Amino acid sequence: MAAPVLILQETDSTNAEARKRAEAGEFGPLWIAAKRQTAGRGRRGRAWDTDTGNLAQTLLLTLEKTPIEASQLTFVSALAVYDLVARHVPPSLVTIKWPNDVLLDGRKVSGILLESGPLGTGHIWLAIGIGVNVLTAPTGLERPATAIADHLSADRVTPPSFEEGANALAETFQHWLDIWTQQGFEPVRQAWVDRTPGLYGPCIARLSNETLEGTADGIESDGSLRLRLADGTVRVVSAGDVFFGVNA
Ligand code: BTN
């Protein structure tokens, strides 16, 4: 069964709220969703704006896993967002870009930010933060973004309300979390690969201190990206901004 969803009218950041609760001894599982974030955060220290009608929610979870094992949940999250988005738009328009950006018609429609910290007992807390552009896409970004409302399927008159979307995401997440818990990472990895084009084509990876250019060469068993450089060496990339295809 999906974790309960707590809906707040406003908070600074649902990830920050989850962290505060974890550090105060709360274990979850609990989804914390907010209709407005005043200090939403994205990857690599960037800000994340949450406009009215868009989803911003974080799953607070406690696990007996290493942070590396827990990072597999980034793939679980991407599949959950994929399923949510594909309920409302033609599924052929939805893809995943390594590692966890869900794209709609080739443009970013969501963002996922995992944060974690230790608990005394060999357990860790995890805050799995997900933002989905349901009604509107932010403008002025380096790469154009889009929203579910701009691509609704013919049989969908309106995009989901905040409450519908928040609960539906909790359900699609639980579906993939159950598969990961019961069957391990492999079926999750395979489902993710099936939805992720470009894993064997031209690729640029912007890392914190260098930019690599080469050809993507699939992923490692832990989900890291293999990138073959012009001199034939292979670099394994586990985090960074990665651009695929001829327009990389
Ligand atoms: C990205 O940069 O792509 C990740 C964006 C993650 C945004 C979500 S919105 C809900 C949660 N709360 C935050 O402050 N960030 C995440």
Side-chain angles (χ1 to χ4, degrees):
M1 206 175 63
V5 182
L6 169 70
I7 295 184
L8 306 174
Q9 292 306 313
E10 181 179 299
T11 189
D12 47 359
S13 148
T14 54
N15 269 36
E17 178 66 30
R19 173 185 284 265
K20 259 181 266 163
R21 287 172 181 249
E23 289 175 349
E26 214 172 300
F27 293 116
L30 174 70
W31 282 100
I32 301 159
K35 293 190 172 174
R36 206 172 98 81
Q37 294 190 115
T38 53
R41 49 201 199 214
R43 289 199 308 257
R44 311 184 81 198
R46 287 187 281 241
W48 180 269
D49 286 338
T50 302
D51 291 330
T52 309
N54 289 348
L55 291 180
Q57 61 193 81
T58 297
L59 177 62
L60 167 62
L61 205 58
T62 305
L63 292 175
E64 197 176 357
K65 299 268 184 204
T66 65
I68 290 181
E69 286 171 312
S71 68
Q72 294 171 355
L73 290 180
T74 199
F75 297 89
V76 166
S77 309
L79 289 167
V81 173
Y82 178 102
D83 284 356
L84 172 76
V85 175
R87 282 184 184 183
H88 298 279
V89 306
S92 61
L93 293 181
V94 191
T95 52
I96 301 176
K97 177 168 102 54
W98 184 92
N100 61 15
D101 277 340
V102 175
L103 305 185
L104 176 49
D105 201 17
R107 287 177 283 166
K108 190 165 157 91
V109 70
S110 72
I112 295 169
L113 179 67
L114 254 74
E115 296 177 89
S116 64
L119 292 169
T121 52
H123 289 70
I124 57 169
W125 61 262
L126 263 185
I128 304 171
I130 301 177
V132 183
N133 301 334
V134 175
L135 277 192
T136 54
T139 51
L141 303 178
E142 188 187 0
R143 303 246 156 185
T146 193
I148 290 176
D150 298 334
H151 302 271
L152 288 179
S153 299
D155 61 344
R156 295 273 174 180
V157 183
T158 53
S161 69
F162 186 87
E163 286 77 6
E164 284 165 349
N167 285 300
L169 183 57
E171 281 165 25
T172 57
F173 189 95
Q174 192 63 40
H175 169 75
W176 289 106
L177 183 65
D178 287 345
I179 291 176
W180 182 74
T181 309
Q182 290 157 19
Q183 300 173 43
F185 184 45
E186 189 44 35
V188 169
R189 198 186 82 93
Q190 194 51 56
W192 177 91
V193 166
D194 292 345
R195 293 158 180 75
T196 307
L199 285 175
Y200 293 90
C203 175
I204 292 178
R206 248 191 254 156
L207 312 183
S208 50
N209 52 357
E210 61 181 330
T211 297
L212 303 174
E213 193 165 347
T215 307
D217 191 18
I219 57 169
E220 296 278 296
S221 57
D222 68 352
S224 302
L225 181 72
R226 289 165 54 83
L227 181 57
R228 191 172 296 281
L229 307 184
D231 65 3
T233 55
V234 173
R235 292 280 298 270
V236 175
V237 177
S238 55
D241 279 339
V242 174
F243 305 97
F244 296 91
V246 283
N247 297 320

